[in-house]
Amino acid sequence: MEFPNTLESAIAQAKQSTVAALEAGLTRLQVELKVPEIALKAESIAKEFTDLFADDYGSGLKVLFPDSGAAALARRNWSDVEFNVNDLGSRNTPIEKKVAEEDQIFLVVSPSAVEVQKVEKLCNLAGDRPVILLIPQLEDVATVGIGYAARQLRERFLSTLESCFYLQPLDEAALLKRYPSGWQLWIEKGENQYEFFCEEVEKPVGDDLDRLLRKAAGEDVSEEETPVFAKKSYKKQGIFSNLQRFLKALSQ
């Protein structure tokens, strides 16, 4: 499979990965597109994803937005759909009242760390019914925190979520995951051209990711104990600019 060098191709691959993960029996999924301002296009991307489930689930699909305003806007724009569009609840109407027995699958659109407790409750209420988090932003350190409570949250809930698709543009590289593959590092080799470099079982972060990037740049890191962060000045081009152009096109 080719590297998704436009948002359109990334969404297509994300849909394929989501279907594959569901067919494998996974029920707690994340579709992550780590692109600035991507949440502004959450509604249009969500509509594309609903097409995956319309035939199989019909009215059993429930699409949930973070707040009532976003849900109302989607209902207005999607006036001809069979499935239910709602929000994650409020103080007066908790998430418990948003889940019905007839619901078969849940698509949660762009939940942030502010809604993480509601999303966790939803997953508990859903039981073995699939819950798909589309463009989630649950790991906001400023909101979730870094203390004991945050660690408990990660161990209790966030660690149970499977990233069936993940795309993050880096400096002259990109991190990609497509279920059932592992975490892949792709290196920019020219204008809008990316070359596969390696695949890891676990998501490379921090020093591990830095080491892989410098290894891809030709540095010898085989005997290094404590990685030294690269000082190279990078240009944010390639897929980043391509996705930005596609986002702009969608808004016109």
Side-chain angles (χ1 to χ4, degrees), residues 176-184 199-202:
L176 174 67
K177 185 181 190 298
R178 297 173 289 206
Y179 184 87
S181 299
W183 296 87
Q184 301 175 349
E199 180 172 313
E200 301 289 313
V201 175
E202 301 293 333

Side-chain angles (χ1 to χ4, degrees), residues 172-217:
E172 298 186 356
L175 188 59
L176 174 67
K177 185 181 190 298
R178 297 173 289 206
Y179 184 87
S181 299
W183 296 87
Q184 301 175 349
L185 184 63
W186 291 70
I187 306 301
E188 185 179 0
K189 293 297 183 180
E191 180 64 28
N192 204 27
Q193 297 294 321
Y194 283 78
E195 181 180 282
F196 173 77
F197 178 70
C198 67
E199 180 172 313
E200 301 289 313
V201 175
E202 301 293 333
K203 180 183 178 181
V205 296
D207 289 347
D208 291 333
L209 178 57
D210 178 72
R211 186 184 298 108
L212 290 175
L213 288 170
R214 291 187 295 112
K215 184 178 180 181

